[in-house]
Amino acid sequence: MKHLRFILVLAALCIVLPALNAQPQKSRVQTNKNASAQQAGAGTAAGISRADLMFPTAVDVPEDVTWRRDLYRTLDLSKDENAALYFPVEPQGKQINFFTLVFQLFNTGKLPVYEYQLDGIENFASDKRMHFKDFLEKYHIYYEVQGNNIKVDQSDIPSAQVLSLFIKESSYYDQNTATYHSRVTAICPVMHDNDEFSFGDTKKPLFWIKYDDLKKYLSSHTVMVSNYNNAATMSMDDFFSTNHYKGDIYMTTNMQGKPLAQTVASPDSLKSEQARIEKQMADFEKHIWSAPVDSIAQARKDSIAAATSKKSKAKTARPASTTRKESASKSKEKKSSSSSSSSSSARVSVRRQRH
């Protein structure tokens, strides 16, 4: 009887022990899930948003590139090429325009913006960062303070007045990857204001934004890019990354630090200077890929032409030399024959005189 009880206890232990061993594994899985959730919560608490995790920040322009050209363009948002960033002026469902998105991100503290200085050059130093409340007061935008939050009514956001953008575009050749890039590195919204004491619009650049800080949010907002096919859409990030916009050059990074308007004499010469710079950029990009191939092909053509000309010269030179030799030998034979005939005739004449 004791043996039977012992056997039953062993059987029970064989059944219970695997279950007890399996339980910690499940709890460990659950613990890992909880730990990952805690890490995600800690990351959010530390200022890492969901957009940071889904759309990591792009790599900056390399500092050791062999060639780089920085251009500043102005984008007229009223033109069809750039209208995707302007409409709808007021949000329609999930569709909002570029400045409304920037304004909301600025208000919630997700997007750092920096002061626009008089020289027009972007400065992303920490002491140049703007506060949202200071921005609202500087441009007389109505707001309400609700606890620790600042509320701006949708009708008070001046998105309709932001009719243009300043962008900084960096084009460079990366010798490490043998690739050519042209990308936007900074954006400045420009508000157009009708003053009573001025003729036309007064442009007021608001602030500079580092594009890498904005990129992760632009990736999740789409815009319509065709008047013919309304289903043709792309993200705002793709709009900038693929250079889908169109803008005139108003300044380049130069040793004098002057915009183009200060280096030319008239508006016509400004347009010609803009066209000249555009051609320089297009020619450089074209020559990166096509110039070596063209030079090799031209070198081959030149070598073939040189070889052909040498052969033709050799062919034409040989008959001439043989002709000269033959003519020289014939002339020698004629001279020898004439001399022999003359000598023989002289001997004959002498003999005749002796007889």
Side-chain angles (χ1 to χ4, degrees):
M1 191 70 179
K2 291 181 179 180
H3 294 289
L4 181 59
R5 290 179 181 177
F6 181 73
I7 292 172
L8 291 175
V9 170
L10 287 177
L13 290 174
C14 292
I15 295 172
V16 173
L17 285 176
L20 292 176
N21 291 331
Q23 185 65 28
Q25 294 178 359
K26 184 177 180 181
S27 62
R28 281 196 296 271
V29 173
Q30 188 67 28
T31 303
N32 292 333
K33 291 182 178 179
N34 294 334
S36 61
Q38 291 176 0
Q39 291 177 357
T44 305
I48 301 175
S49 64
R50 186 177 180 183
D52 292 316
L53 300 175
M54 296 179 64
F55 305 99
T57 304
V59 180
D60 291 336
V61 177
E63 296 293 337
D64 60 342
V65 295
T66 57
W67 185 90
R68 174 178 172 176
R69 186 80 182 270
D70 294 334
L71 306 176
Y72 292 84
R73 298 180 183 271
T74 175
L75 275 58
D76 187 353
L77 300 185
S78 63
K79 294 183 178 180
D80 284 343
E81 295 86 355
N82 308 315
L85 301 174
Y86 184 73
F87 295 98
V89 177
E90 294 185 359
Q92 297 179 2
K94 295 182 179 180
Q95 298 294 323
I96 59 176
N97 69 357
F98 176 79
F99 182 74
T100 302
L101 174 62
V102 169
F103 189 90
Q104 292 176 355
L105 294 172
F106 186 17
N107 185 12
T108 55
K110 296 179 180 178
L111 181 66
V113 306
Y114 302 86
E115 297 176 0
Y116 183 90
Q117 303 181 51
L118 294 177
D119 59 359
I121 306 298
E122 73 285 354
N123 188 349
F124 297 128
S126 58
D127 59 337
K128 300 300 180 181
R129 184 168 175 176
M130 293 184 67
H131 296 285
F132 185 65
K133 187 176 180 181
D134 296 338
F135 164 74
L136 296 177
E137 292 179 352
K138 181 178 180 180
Y139 294 100
H140 309 289
I141 300 173
Y142 181 77
Y143 67 92
E144 295 179 358
V145 178
Q146 297 180 351
N148 295 327
N149 299 324
I150 296 176
K151 182 181 178 181
V152 180
D153 193 73
Q154 189 65 49
S155 59
D156 294 323
I157 299 177
S159 58
Q161 295 175 267
V162 179
L163 292 170
S164 61
L165 300 175
F166 292 160
I167 66 169
K168 181 182 180 181
E169 180 184 279
S170 295
S171 301
Y172 62 94
Y173 176 74
D174 188 355
Q175 72 280 4
N176 298 318
T177 58
T179 53
Y180 178 84
H181 303 274
S182 182
R183 50 174 297 199
V184 177
T185 57
I187 301 179
C188 173
V190 181
M191 184 167 63
H192 294 226
D193 193 8
N194 291 320
D195 293 336
E196 297 179 358
F197 304 100
S198 61
F199 297 96
D201 292 340
T202 301
K203 294 183 179 181
K204 297 180 179 179
L206 301 180
F207 45 74
W208 279 110
I209 311 167
K210 192 175 182 180
Y211 186 78
D212 287 343
D213 294 336
L214 185 61
K215 178 182 176 68
K216 52 182 174 285
Y217 302 106
L218 298 181
S219 301
S220 57
H221 287 79
T222 59
V223 293
M224 185 175 65
V225 293
S226 174
N227 290 326
Y228 177 73
N229 181 11
N230 301 145
T233 60
M234 65 171 60
S235 67
M236 289 187 184
D237 177 44
D238 290 336
F239 187 88
F240 287 107
S241 300
T242 59
N243 306 114
H244 204 80
Y245 55 85
K246 184 177 181 180
D248 297 328
I249 300 172
Y250 71 89
M251 186 169 63
T252 64
T253 300
N254 55 78
M255 292 181 289
Q256 295 181 349
K258 294 182 179 180
L260 295 183
Q262 295 182 6
T263 60
V264 297
S266 63
D268 293 336
S269 57
L270 175 61
K271 291 182 179 180
S272 62
E273 181 65 13
Q274 291 172 337
R276 186 185 68 84
I277 296 174
E278 294 284 7
K279 187 176 184 304
Q280 280 184 344
M281 302 299 293
D283 290 344
F284 181 84
E285 184 178 3
K286 178 182 177 182
H287 291 162
I288 288 178
W289 315 117
S290 62
V293 178
D294 293 342
S295 61
I296 292 172
Q298 187 64 35
R300 289 178 179 175
K301 290 180 180 180
D302 294 340
S303 62
I304 293 172
T308 306
S309 63
K310 287 181 180 179
K311 289 181 180 179
S312 60
K313 288 180 180 179
K315 289 180 179 179
T316 55
R318 285 179 181 176
S321 61
T322 53
T323 306
R324 286 195 296 269
K325 289 180 181 179
E326 290 176 355
S327 60
S329 60
K330 289 180 180 179
S331 61
K332 287 181 181 180
E333 290 177 356
K334 289 181 179 179
K335 289 181 180 179
S336 61
S337 60
S338 61
S339 61
S340 60
S341 60
S342 61
S343 61
S344 60
S345 61
R347 283 194 290 270
V348 170
S349 61
V350 170
R351 284 177 185 177
R352 284 180 181 176
Q353 289 177 358
R354 287 179 180 180
H355 288 286

